Amino acid sequence: MSEKILAANFKTNHTRASTRDYVGALDAGMEKMGYDAPVYLFPPATALESFDTRSDIRIGAQNAYPTVKGSFTGEIGLEQLGEFDIDTVLLGHSERRHILGETQEFVAQKYSWFQERDFTIVYCIGEPLEVREAGDEAVRRYIVEQLEGIDTSYGKLILAYEPVWAIGTGKTATPDLIEATHATIKNLSDRPLLYGGSVKPANIAEILAVPGCDGTLIGTASWEVESMLSMLSKVKGEK
Ligand code: 13P
């Protein structure tokens, strides 16, 4: 069995009802194929709950505010996560950095706060197109900046390299580019490193075969459970 880590980011998709159906089908499918590696699932905040699954499905929050509770309209904190025993959080996603305007300082503050509370943190990094076009050294510098204030040796950190130009665009980074960028990132942290950006059933095996790729963080292609199960079956075939 492969030790690859797969994670599904639902973003602003699925309801509580459809998430329940999804988790039920995923659990049954994983059991049927004997898939025993962990699968992380990040449903929207309204669909968080403590699912009773036979397979190793780990539910995480796509975002949370660094507080137990308080006056932070529209946010959720530790009390809301604790209700469902959620101890995994996704931080630093480019959509939150670029659309919601989260600064590196704020992302790092969240990171430290959840690290202190022993959370598993899936931490996203990755460059926009203009930085990629400026060359490898510009990409390296950009990633170093996205790791500012981040304890990259934290034992419950999982890194995810998601080039912004490959997210939701159908443009997957080439295996060579993933290998080179992962090597750069591995020089900065020895924690597991996932690739994300237009991963789908047709390319997941090739991506997971890239040296230095420890798994994938999947958006669009994870939203249909059949597609997710198809990717898991390909992982299972991987050595
Ligand atoms: P896509 O798989 O839709 O490109 O999204 C990747 C992503 O942003 C996962 O966090």
Side-chain angles (χ1 to χ4, degrees), residues 5 9 25 54 61 72 90 101 119 155 165 176-177 189 234 236:
I5 301 166
N9 178 5
R54 286 155 306 213
F72 305 98
L90 187 73
F119 268 58
W165 45 271
D176 283 352
L177 186 143
S189 171
K234 292 185 162 72
K236 211 166 171 281

Side-chain angles (χ1 to χ4, degrees), residues 27-235:
D27 189 26
M30 284 170 69
E31 234 205 345
K32 197 166 161 212
M33 71 173 87
Y35 192 96
D36 52 13
V39 171
Y40 291 89
L41 198 66
F42 295 91
T46 54
L48 292 175
E49 57 182 292
S50 19
F51 293 98
D52 188 14
T53 57
R54 286 155 306 213
S55 319
D56 192 355
I57 300 174
R58 303 181 185 182
I59 304 293
Q62 291 175 21
N63 172 52
Y65 200 82
T67 187
V68 174
K69 59 182 183 172
S71 298
F72 305 98
T73 302
E75 295 287 324
I76 58 170
L78 196 63
E79 188 172 273
Q80 288 73 38
L81 297 175
E83 182 179 11
F84 304 114
D85 298 321
I86 307 283
D87 58 4
T88 301
V89 68
L90 187 73
L91 294 177
H93 194 282
S94 61
E95 286 154 10
R96 295 207 61 87
R97 292 180 190 268
H98 300 144
I99 304 172
L100 283 306
E102 288 193 4
T103 61
Q104 181 58 29
E105 192 183 1
F106 183 45
V107 175
Q109 184 195 333
K110 285 189 190 189
Y111 184 97
S112 303
W113 201 89
F114 284 101
Q115 177 181 355
E116 277 163 26
R117 280 145 192 92
D118 211 28
F119 268 58
T120 295
I121 302 175
V122 177
Y123 184 73
C124 303
I125 51 181
E127 79 288 354
L129 186 61
E130 65 271 19
V131 175
R132 170 54 63 186
E133 285 173 343
D136 292 346
E137 180 49 25
V139 171
R140 197 191 67 80
R141 277 200 307 270
Y142 193 88
I143 287 170
V144 166
E145 277 170 25
Q146 291 187 317
L147 292 174
E148 208 174 292
I150 302 299
D151 176 0
T152 54
S153 63
Y154 176 44
K156 290 190 173 177
L157 163 63
I158 299 170
L159 285 163
Y161 169 58
E162 299 204 306
V164 178
W165 45 271
I167 295 178
T169 59
K171 282 187 205 153
T172 318
T174 62
D176 283 352
L177 186 143
I178 297 172
E179 184 174 352
T181 314
H182 275 219
T184 301
I185 299 166
K186 294 243 174 211
N187 274 329
L188 303 167
S189 171
D190 62 3
R191 299 301 306 148
L193 177 56
L194 318 183
Y195 168 79
S198 299
V199 176
K200 52 186 186 243
N203 62 20
I204 191 165
E206 180 184 36
I207 290 168
L208 290 174
V210 170
C213 181
D214 303 310
T216 53
L217 176 56
I218 310 153
T220 315
S222 73
W223 300 341
E224 297 281 346
V225 73
E226 294 76 19
S227 168
M228 188 66 184
L229 283 169
S230 152
M231 289 185 280
L232 293 183
S233 68
K234 292 185 162 72
V235 178

